[in-house]
C-alpha cells in the first residue's frame, strides 16, 4: 500500500511538496517518505494547509501543480484554482 505520490510519473530527482489540512500521523508520514526514496525522488516535504490558501508559497514557486482527489473536497474550488495558478 504505497502512499499516493503518483510516483513513477515524475523524473528521478523531482522534489515533491504534499499539502494536507491535517498532517498525517507518524506512520503515514514515514511511509510517504519511504515511498519517495523508493522512487528516487529528491525530497518530499509535507505541509499543513488548504488549497484555498497557499500563501506560504511565493508567486511562481512551483514548476507544476498536480492535484489528485482534491477538488471534490475543497470548500472553495474557485479560490483553490486561483491559488494553483498563482503558485
Amino acid at each position: 500500500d504505497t502512499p499516493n505520490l503518483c510516483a513513477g510519473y515524475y523524473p528521478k530527482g523531482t522534489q515533491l511538496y504534499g499539502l494536507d489540512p491535517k498532517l498525517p500521523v507518524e506512520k503515514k508520514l514515514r511511509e510517504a517518505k519511504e515511498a519517495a526514496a523508493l522512487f528516487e525522488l529528491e525530497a518530499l516535504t509535507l505541509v499543513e494547509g488548504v488549497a484555498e490558501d497557499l500563501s506560504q508559497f511565493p508567486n511562481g514557486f512551483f514548476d507544476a501543480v498536480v492535484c489528485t482527489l482534491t477538488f471534490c473536497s475543497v470548500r472553495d474550488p474557485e479560490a483553490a484554482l486561483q491559488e494553483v495558478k498563482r503558485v
Side-chain angles (χ1 to χ4, degrees):
D1 182 26
T2 302
N4 181 16
L5 298 177
C6 297
Y9 294 101
Y10 302 112
K12 291 179 182 174
T14 297
Q15 183 172 354
L16 293 179
Y17 284 78
L19 179 76
D20 202 281
K22 182 179 178 193
L23 288 180
V25 294
E26 279 300 313
K27 180 178 185 267
K28 290 291 183 185
L29 180 61
R30 186 180 69 251
E31 289 172 355
K33 289 191 177 202
E34 288 171 357
L38 176 70
F39 291 101
E40 299 181 35
L41 302 174
E42 183 177 305
L44 172 63
T45 303
L46 298 178
V47 178
E48 191 168 336
V50 295
E52 299 93 332
D53 179 13
L54 301 176
S55 60
Q56 57 194 312
F57 302 107
N59 294 349
F61 184 77
F62 297 106
D63 293 327
V65 174
V66 177
C67 300
T68 57
L69 306 172
T70 302
F71 286 98
C72 58
S73 59
V74 297
R75 294 181 192 261
D76 187 347
E78 288 184 36
L81 281 173
Q82 286 300 317
E83 280 292 87
V84 166
K85 181 180 176 183
R86 183 185 66 75
V87 300

